[in-house]
Amino acid sequence: AQKVTQAQTEISVVEKEDVTLDCVYETRDTTYYLFWYKQPPSGELVFLIRRNSFDEQNEISGRYSWNFQKSTSSFNFTITASQVVDSAVYFCALSEGNAGGTSYGKLTFGQGTILTVHP
Amino acid sequence: NAGVTQTPKFRVLKTGQSMTLLCAQDMNHEYMYWYRQDPGMGLRLIHYSVGEGTTAKGEVPDGYNVSRLKKQNFLLGLESAAPSQTSVYFCASSYRGRNQPQHFGDGTRLSIL
């Protein structure tokens, strides 16, 4: 069975600090997809990024960057120069791809990391 | 463009009552999902549907039923509500394919007394 672990329950930083959110996953499949979602205080879930198991290239989008390492089964998320608006719960999620391609996109979520950025 | 709309946003029920949560999407997505979010546990999949007229069980299906009579709607039913079903419920939808990001509704906060 697949599993996603976000060991950091809560992180508190001061504005402009860099912060890294950890995500470790377990899966027996060779084809899978990893996602990060953001849940701001208003409650909705916002898709941030998707990464497939064949692409270990890191990605940067503005102040956000993601480091995917298959060797350690990790998909970590870094926010550079954090801002108060980054305060949210961040979820890492895993979607397996069955050999027959029939996983139907079901997501297994981590427990979430509560990030608080203080002014 | 509404995206994924959940109705209602809040509801308080008494133990044993029944209710239906409605999810509607206007993106012509094939796949739809119902999750529940509980503190410290992330989101867990209750049921999902890969097309009109089809449904399947997720990780925590007990106590819930679903129906997808129309492609754009996915209903979640509680036949006899229990306090353990107090949670925030999220509906999501996506295009066909295991690599497609899911689009979420704003959630329904449900309390069972």
Side-chain angles (χ1 to χ4, degrees):
Chain A
Q2 54 189 3
K3 184 179 180 181
V4 177
T5 302
Q6 296 178 254
Q8 304 151 308
T9 303
E10 294 190 50
I11 300 176
S12 181
V13 300
V14 177
E15 211 169 19
K16 298 184 182 178
E17 283 186 33
D18 299 347
V19 57
T20 295
L21 310 181
D22 297 333
C23 173
V24 175
Y25 61 90
E26 297 176 26
T27 179
R28 286 177 283 186
D29 278 353
T30 56
T31 301
Y32 52 89
Y33 299 87
L34 294 160
F35 301 80
W36 275 95
Y37 285 86
K38 174 182 180 180
Q39 185 178 40
S42 50
E44 75 275 19
L45 281 111
V46 179
F47 165 70
L48 295 177
I49 191 171
R50 170 190 59 204
R51 172 67 71 225
N52 72 56
S53 53
F54 297 104
D55 183 3
E56 289 195 66
Q57 190 173 11
N58 291 335
E59 182 153 342
I60 298 174
S61 176
R63 297 184 296 107
Y64 295 173
S65 63
W66 290 269
N67 181 271
F68 174 40
Q69 291 193 333
K70 276 180 90 168
S71 60
T72 56
S73 297
S74 64
F75 186 40
N76 296 336
F77 173 29
T78 296
I79 301 175
T80 302
S82 60
Q83 299 177 1
V84 172
V85 293
D86 295 327
S87 296
V89 183
Y90 290 87
F91 291 99
C92 180
L94 168 67
S95 173
E96 283 185 314
N98 294 350
T102 56
S103 70
Y104 303 123
K106 294 178 290 180
L107 292 177
T108 297
F109 282 84
Q111 302 92 318
T113 296
I114 302 170
L115 173 65
T116 303
V117 181
H118 299 281
Chain B
N1 203 0
V4 179
T5 303
Q6 291 184 231
T7 310
K9 296 190 185 309
F10 304 95
R11 186 73 183 269
V12 178
L13 290 178
K14 293 182 179 179
T15 298
Q17 287 185 319
S18 63
M19 78 161 296
T20 300
L21 280 64
L22 172 63
C23 176
Q25 54 95 3
D26 61 2
M27 296 172 282
N28 202 34
H29 285 165
E30 290 85 358
Y31 295 175
M32 296 188 74
Y33 311 85
W34 276 107
Y35 295 90
R36 60 177 288 172
Q37 182 180 13
D38 301 294
M41 301 188 74
L43 280 79
R44 292 179 293 168
L45 183 64
I46 305 172
H47 285 281
Y48 65 100
S49 167
V50 299
E52 183 178 318
T54 73
T55 63
K57 294 180 180 179
E59 179 185 355
V60 288
D62 293 343
Y64 305 96
N65 56 75
V66 288
S67 65
R68 192 159 177 209
L69 300 179
K70 294 183 179 181
K71 184 177 183 179
Q72 63 268 34
N73 295 337
F74 194 28
L75 278 62
L76 177 71
L78 287 73
E79 289 187 348
S80 180
S84 60
Q85 294 177 303
T86 293
S87 187
V88 180
Y89 292 86
F90 285 95
C91 176
S93 68
S94 72
Y95 288 112
R96 180 184 302 273
R98 61 199 184 201
N99 63 333
Q100 296 300 312
Q102 294 180 15
H103 299 260
F104 286 81
D106 290 341
T108 294
R109 188 172 296 276
L110 183 61
S111 294
I112 315 295
L113 304 178

